[in-house]
Amino acid sequence: QKEVEQNSGPLSVPEGAIASLNCTYSDRGSQSFFWYRQYSGKSPELIMFIYSNGDKEDGRFTAQLNKASQYVSLLIRDSQPSDSATYLCAVITNDMRFGAGTRLTVKP
Amino acid sequence: NAGVMQNPRHLVRRRGQEARLRCSPMKGHSHVYWYRQLPEEGLKFMVYLQKENIIDESGMPKERFSAEFPKEGPSILRIQQVVRGDSAAYFCASSPDRVWREQYFGPGTRLTVT
């Protein structure tokens, strides 16, 4: 089992819809959780971090953490074509482990 | 620009040569992390350093790779006797003065071994 798992996609949503990205992790001791966005050929850009169970909202982005079920998700409301990118989930236990990423395409 | 800086952005080396990648952390950050990303793959942790100390190098290949973060100057990732399989994007990230908090990435160095 991979330490951090994400659906590779591609996930395709129409402009204006909600995009839902999911991530599961294997280590119950994991304490910190991050979502990064990476455009093709560019470096990862931090979008959200969450440390406690529940929801955390920042603009059009909402991160949800459920430690009991060992999953963290990212919702993107009112999706825009500029949101088209690969989204990386990262989890810290002893070090930072990344999922392979989910490729999101938002179609105009 | 107070972000993480990396240079060079692109580096071409022939097999057997040495590659030196540099990273200057964001202002006020004293924790530096190096990652490698192969084409179409995720990021792989390599090493975590603070000034003059290697804290965690569990992701570093045992041979040919080394890293340092001297008291003065940038952090350096050094790859000796490069092979074609070393071709990848190498990203540096930095975080504030707390261990394993949110990390901010530099633009990366794209290494091509011919």
Side-chain angles (χ1 to χ4, degrees), chain B residues 23-77:
Chain B
C23 168
S24 296
M26 195 176 283
K27 188 176 181 180
H29 289 190
S30 60
H31 301 249
V32 167
Y33 313 82
W34 285 94
Y35 295 85
R36 176 165 63 177
Q37 187 173 40
L38 295 169
E40 303 303 320
E41 292 189 15
L43 286 157
K44 300 290 187 216
F45 166 76
M46 299 181 74
V47 62
Y48 160 37
L49 311 103
Q50 295 179 32
K51 285 282 187 182
E52 300 185 279
N53 284 303
I54 297 174
I55 307 301
D56 182 350
E57 56 182 347
S58 58
M60 286 275 273
K62 296 265 187 282
E63 298 177 349
R64 302 188 298 108
F65 285 72
S66 62
E68 62 178 6
F69 190 12
K71 187 176 180 181
E72 301 291 338
S75 175
I76 295 176
L77 179 67

Side-chain angles (χ1 to χ4, degrees), chain A residues 14-28:
Chain A
E15 184 175 356
I18 295 175
S20 178
L21 303 159
N22 299 313
C23 171
T24 58
Y25 58 95
S26 60
D27 192 329
R28 284 193 173 276

Side-chain angles (χ1 to χ4, degrees), chain A residues 36 38 41 43 51 92 103, chain B residues 37 100-103 106 110:
Chain A
Y36 287 84
Q38 187 174 26
S43 61
Y51 303 131
I92 289 179
R103 188 171 298 178
Chain B
Q37 187 173 40
W100 292 116
R101 289 301 293 266
E102 58 274 14
Q103 298 176 19
R110 277 146 186 87

Side-chain angles (χ1 to χ4, degrees), chain A residues 7 10 24 27 40 56 65 71 82-83 86 90 92 102-103 105:
Chain A
N7 290 329
T24 58
D27 192 329
S40 181
K56 179 181 178 183
L65 174 61
Y71 84 78
S82 59
D83 294 327
T86 297
I92 289 179
T102 298
R103 188 171 298 178
T105 300

